[in-house]
Amino acid sequence: MTPVHHRSHVDDLLSFIRASPSPYHAVASAAQRLEKAGFRELRGTDDWTGTTGGSFVVRGGALIAWYAPEGTPAHTPFRIIGTHTDSPNLRIKPTPDTGSAGWRQIAVEIYGGVPLNTWLDRDLGISGRLALRGPGGTTDSRLVQIDEPLLRVPQLAIHLDRSVNDGLALDRQRHIAPVWSLGDAEEGALLRRVAAAAEADPAEVLGWDLMLHDIQAPGYLGADQEFVVSSRLDNLVSVHAGVTALAGAATAAEAPAYIPVLAAFDHEEVGSGSDTGAQSPLLERVLSRSVTARGGSPEDWSRALAGAFCVSADMAHAVHPNYAERHDPDHRPLPNSGPTVKVNVNQRYATDSTGIAVFASACERAGAPWQPFVSNNAMPCGTSIGPLTAARLGVPTVDVGVPGLSMHSARELCGAADPGHLAAILGAFVTSG
């Protein structure tokens, strides 16, 4: 049975996931929670001079937040939690209204490493943001979330493909378009439906970033409810844990010894190469400006960075009971045994012995377990934002993550105790030691 204190954390995590079907919603959910902890949003065009306390910056699907109590020296080192807000999914094309054989369908593009079969025969909603015409030639953004069974990618009946169990082959262009009605394709039909859900005039919509999401609610699984099953565990488990740790640092009775930072990037699943991804200068610019705003000099900025450390938190692989041979025989993480520390000597993960020591020390202070993870030498190794952040900032970084099954699936699984373990460890990491 999942311990009570972990159960309450996961209950809150499930609420966070339900409210966060897109990266833009994840950022809005995180911002709302930070505001309740006393943080305030800063815009890039604002004057940040003298800014202290809890602050955060939002750019699209990315959020950078930090806590610097009044009187904190400008050269105080950063303790950075790095995460990402995006998940592999199906995204709606600019000209979406299509169809075939009397069915009305929606044209989608595949985002990231999607196991396509997991999106078949699932009830799908729509979420994302609309770009609206504003006054005086400006534009505005509005979030939209349709949690209704609006679309479905139908599987071909076995009677029409007797070899399906010998290996399912899906054409990414022809077989993944979801159905949503009958009749001929009608230009503007989807736009009208989405605009109505956002209480916007379709004529004012200039563009969109829309995606599909599984509307099945997240929940518990197992004989003793020892597992969590949900969409987007990768990587909202880590985002939620980071928000929890940062809010806890800001509301603690004792001021942290470091400046805690949460960097929640977008586009990790497609390489992080965007203005809101980990390859961008976003984090570097925000942190540098926060030092300057508190009266710091270039020397203070260099000192703050020289003493900084980053934990890159992203989901990890638990050993799969049906495919155990795909894992390293001596590194087989299990759910509810703590987050993994990911190691790859070819720098697909940024972990080294120093990083292991820092993270293990945080685990000891939090009273939480951890596990080592190394990929099977015969299997390609994944990666994360860890190496990108380490190379971009020159900051020592350790890659960690909650172990789970079905990574990148439309519905993933992890242990019910591990999200709480991760949040406690990250809380210890950003506040002391």
Side-chain angles (χ1 to χ4, degrees), residues 1-14 17 218-230 233 237 240-241 315 318 334-339 368-369 371 402-405 412-424:
M1 182 70 70
T2 306
V4 173
H5 63 287
H6 288 303
R7 179 72 180 233
S8 61
H9 178 86
V10 171
D11 286 344
D12 190 59
L13 167 65
L14 300 186
I17 292 174
Y220 293 89
L221 179 83
D224 293 312
Q225 297 189 330
E226 64 263 51
F227 306 117
V228 174
V229 285
S230 175
L233 292 179
V237 165
H240 177 263
M315 286 292 287
L334 284 171
N336 295 326
S337 296
Q371 310 172 75
V402 166
L405 298 180
E412 301 164 321
L413 176 150
C414 74
D418 289 330
H421 285 319
L422 179 62

Side-chain angles (χ1 to χ4, degrees), residues 117-128:
N117 63 298
T118 69
W119 284 79
L120 301 179
D121 297 335
R122 305 200 70 87
D123 298 334
L124 304 173
I126 296 176
S127 59

Side-chain angles (χ1 to χ4, degrees), residues 84-101:
H84 67 88
T85 61
D86 60 319
S87 302
N89 60 12
L90 306 180
R91 304 212 169 183
I92 297 175
K93 291 182 176 180
T95 302
D97 298 295
T98 187
S100 176

